[in-house]
Structures are given as structure tokens and as C-alpha cells.
Amino acid sequence: MPSNARATRLTRRGLLAAGGALGLGAALAACGGEEKPSGKPGDADPAAGSGPWRFTDDRGVTAEAKATPGNIVAFTGMAAALHDFGVEVKGVFGPTKTADGKPDVQAGDLDVNKVEIIGNVWGEFDIEEYVKLQPEVLITDMWEKDALWYVPDESKDTILKLAPSVALWAADRSMPKVIRRHAELAESLGGDVGSKAVADSKARFEKAAARLRAAAKAKPEIRVLIGSASADLFYVSTPDRPTDTLYFKELGVNLVVPGKLDQGGWFESLSWENVDKYPADVIMMDNRSSAIQPKDLASKPTWARLPAVKAGQVVPRVTEPVYSYEKCAPLLEDLAEAIENAKKVA
């Protein structure tokens, strides 16, 4: 699970979007109780073809429809990955726009002005707007077994009655396997995963992996710490659960392993007075809008004194990757470059 304080709330304590609870009765009535709303002729993507659709997700749950779904609602990062594999969605939930209206980092290449945003922050999921989209499938990530990412616990039972759901692992699996699963899902939905663009992106990804492996082998002494900042705490992420760091480990990167993890086994929380507990030569910092960015940490004197900070060896980390070859290749390239240029300072 992502390494910040918000992400530890597995109970989804966020509230529904304004009006969601009040409109619940009307929403269910519009959908005929537990029946899935049926799309109108022509709703499905023409490229998807006709005939029954089935997909077994990483929970072992098989989603089914009479035809390939065209009215897709997905977690923002999932929607961005599907986009890269040639599948478009009608609605999204999760970080999509920043406060100034710009695309969130998790939106990838989505045109955020052309999708219906039914939730933009943790705990927000507008059921009434979801119903209006006539959803044929709901798709999201899974950081813990059977927990649907950004689907609020308080309303998940109602939400899951309205359309079939698909959840793919975004943790506890190495990045290549996770990308392949996203490609399989996209292909089932009519995406052209055999296109030249996808093939070129995959080739770039494989080349980037080889480069990172070579960089790690050439400089095994360079120690990399995975961090995330909040006002009161600094989080050191374990490399043993996130998909990106699992793959970094496979490629030989020397990653800091924190010793005292939270209950979920994701990270160790440090006070800012103890931010130097784990020596590191390179620090990768959570780039999500929910985390404080390095440029805004000037008020933390202990941060400024870290050897990696003084050496300018702090780089962004895409904590919740968009799982396409196109978006993941640069993550490997950037870390390879950081290690290639790093000096031993810790």
C-alpha cells in the first residue's frame, strides 16, 4: 500500500461525496435494486466486438457481461493504464485533478476534462453520478487482498451491487507481472495490446530494466531509501511489498529495509528528529499530491542535513505507478540515471 499516513486507513473512514448518501434510494431504484444497469445499443466500444465477456481478476472473481463493456468506471491510475493500452473509460474515481484544476500525477495521459470524476479524494465516491454513467464494469487496484482501492468501505456493498467489478494487484507482485495483467484486462476490453506503440513501449521498458540492472551492478555500494513526507512524520517504505521496489530489488538495487514496520507491513514512521536513522546515498521521495514534496521541506532542518539532500541526490518516486509499459519505463530509466550519477555520501 502507498507509503503515507492516509493509506494506512484500510477501513476507508472517508465520507461519501455530498449528496451520495441522500440519493442512495433513488440510485438503487434507477438500477432496479441489485440488477446491473444495461447499456443502450452501441454503448460498447466497436473495437471490442460482440458476444459474452468474461474476465477473472486477481481476487479470483469472474466478472461477466453479455457483451464487452463500453461504460467503464475505473480508479484514476487504472484508467490511465487502460488508456495506454487503447481502452477509454467514461468515469473515474481517485486523485484526478489537483486544487488548481491540473491533472494529478496519477492521471497519466488521461484527458481529465473528458471523463466524469465521481470522486477526487480519499473516501469520495458519488453513487448518484456513478448510476448516471450506466456502469457496465467497475475496475480498480488492490493493495490488500479483496480491498478495492478508493472504493469506500462505508458504501462498497451498495456500489458493488450496481455493476460487476474487477480488481488487479498493485502490490505484492513484481512490476512486470502487474503490467502484464493490466494488458490482459485491456485486451479483454478491446484494447490493441499488439499495436506498434505498445510493442515499442515494451521494448523501451525491457531496455530500461537492463540499464538499471547494469547500474546497480556497477555501483552496489549506493544505498537507496524510499521515503514519503508529512508535516509530522517521515515514512521509510519497505521494498518488500510495492511492485516497483520489488522489481528494483530483483534488478539488484541496494534498498534500505526499515526495521520497525506499521501493522500493514508497509513502512516505518520516523519523527523528523530521527529522519537520519537509515543512512542513504539516494532518496526517492513520494511524488503524489498527498505527500509533502522536497522543495517544501525547508522548514525541516534535519532534512537539510541529510547527506543525500546536501549532495542533491533526491529524486521523485512514482509511488502509485500507472501500470503500462509506457509509464513504467521512465521509472526504471530515472532510477538508473540517479544511481549512475550518484556518489557515496552516507
Side-chain angles (χ1 to χ4, degrees):
M1 184 166 295
S3 52
N4 65 10
R6 172 182 58 79
T8 65
R9 302 191 187 113
L10 292 181
T11 57
R12 307 290 203 278
R13 290 183 290 176
L15 298 175
L16 285 174
L22 293 176
L24 186 55
L28 286 170
C31 285
E34 296 189 11
E35 292 294 323
K36 181 182 73 65
S38 58
K40 296 187 289 290
D43 279 349
D45 183 346
S50 59
W53 172 82
R54 291 168 55 92
F55 184 86
T56 302
D57 71 5
D58 291 346
R59 296 171 297 176
V61 173
T62 299
E64 299 183 74
K66 292 180 179 179
T68 303
N71 293 352
I72 302 168
V73 178
F75 169 68
T76 302
M78 175 66 74
L82 292 174
H83 169 83
D84 288 350
F85 286 118
V87 176
E88 302 301 335
V89 307
K90 290 189 70 173
V92 296
F93 55 95
T96 308
K97 287 185 178 181
T98 58
D100 58 3
K102 295 180 180 179
D104 188 273
V105 293
Q106 294 184 59
D109 291 334
L110 282 179
D111 187 336
V112 298
N113 296 312
K114 289 186 177 180
V115 291
E116 184 70 27
I117 302 171
I118 63 172
N120 196 57
V121 297
W122 183 261
E124 182 179 85
F125 192 110
D126 192 322
I127 297 178
E128 289 184 274
E129 291 302 316
Y130 179 55
V131 171
K132 290 177 184 178
L133 292 172
Q134 295 187 294
E136 295 174 307
V137 66
L138 174 78
I139 308 176
T140 189
D141 291 338
M142 184 169 61
W143 291 82
E144 298 283 0
K145 184 171 175 55
D146 299 331
L148 303 187
W149 193 231
Y150 271 82
V151 176
D153 277 347
E154 296 85 351
S155 53
K156 70 177 182 181
D157 290 343
T158 297
I159 292 167
L160 295 181
K161 290 177 182 178
L162 302 177
S165 62
V166 170
L168 297 184
W169 275 114
D172 299 330
R173 306 288 189 277
S174 183
M175 181 177 280
K177 183 173 183 178
V178 174
I179 296 174
R180 285 196 296 272
R181 284 294 282 153
H182 283 67
E184 290 168 6
L185 174 60
E187 185 173 29
S188 82
L189 294 168
D192 185 4
V193 301
S195 69
K196 184 178 185 302
V198 172
D200 288 348
S201 295
K202 185 177 181 181
R204 179 184 174 186
F205 178 85
E206 292 170 345
K207 182 178 179 181
R211 178 183 174 185
L212 180 54
R213 188 189 297 276
K217 184 176 181 180
K219 290 188 173 182
E221 74 281 4
I222 297 300
R223 203 165 183 232
V224 180
L225 182 146
I226 310 297
S228 183
S230 71
D232 299 320
L233 295 170
F234 182 78
Y235 306 95
V236 181
S237 179
T238 177
D240 295 329
R241 294 203 65 185
T243 65
D244 59 336
T245 53
L246 275 171
Y247 194 41
F248 299 161
K249 280 183 62 178
E250 290 175 11
L251 295 174
V253 177
N254 181 3
L255 293 162
V256 169
V257 179
K260 189 177 180 181
L261 299 179
D262 67 301
Q263 186 176 1
W266 290 98
F267 51 78
E268 179 175 352
S269 304
L270 301 176
S271 67
W272 283 102
E273 290 75 14
N274 295 313
V275 72
D276 60 351
K277 179 177 179 178
Y278 297 105
D281 304 292
V282 173
I283 300 176
M284 297 185 75
M285 288 292 287
D286 187 347
N287 77 332
R288 292 173 300 174
S289 54
S290 57
I292 298 177
Q293 298 306 300
K295 63 182 178 60
D296 299 316
L297 291 174
S299 63
K300 308 292 186 184
T302 51
W303 167 259
R305 291 196 293 268
L306 292 176
V309 176
K310 291 197 291 185
Q313 295 178 177
V314 178
V315 297
R317 182 219 177 182
V318 180
T319 305
E320 293 187 52
V322 171
Y323 288 111
S324 68
Y325 294 111
E326 179 181 339
K327 295 300 184 297
C328 288
L331 311 188
L332 305 180
E333 293 167 346
D334 291 347
L335 181 54
E337 182 178 7
I339 293 174
E340 290 164 354
N341 296 331
K343 297 178 180 178
K344 184 66 181 173
V345 295

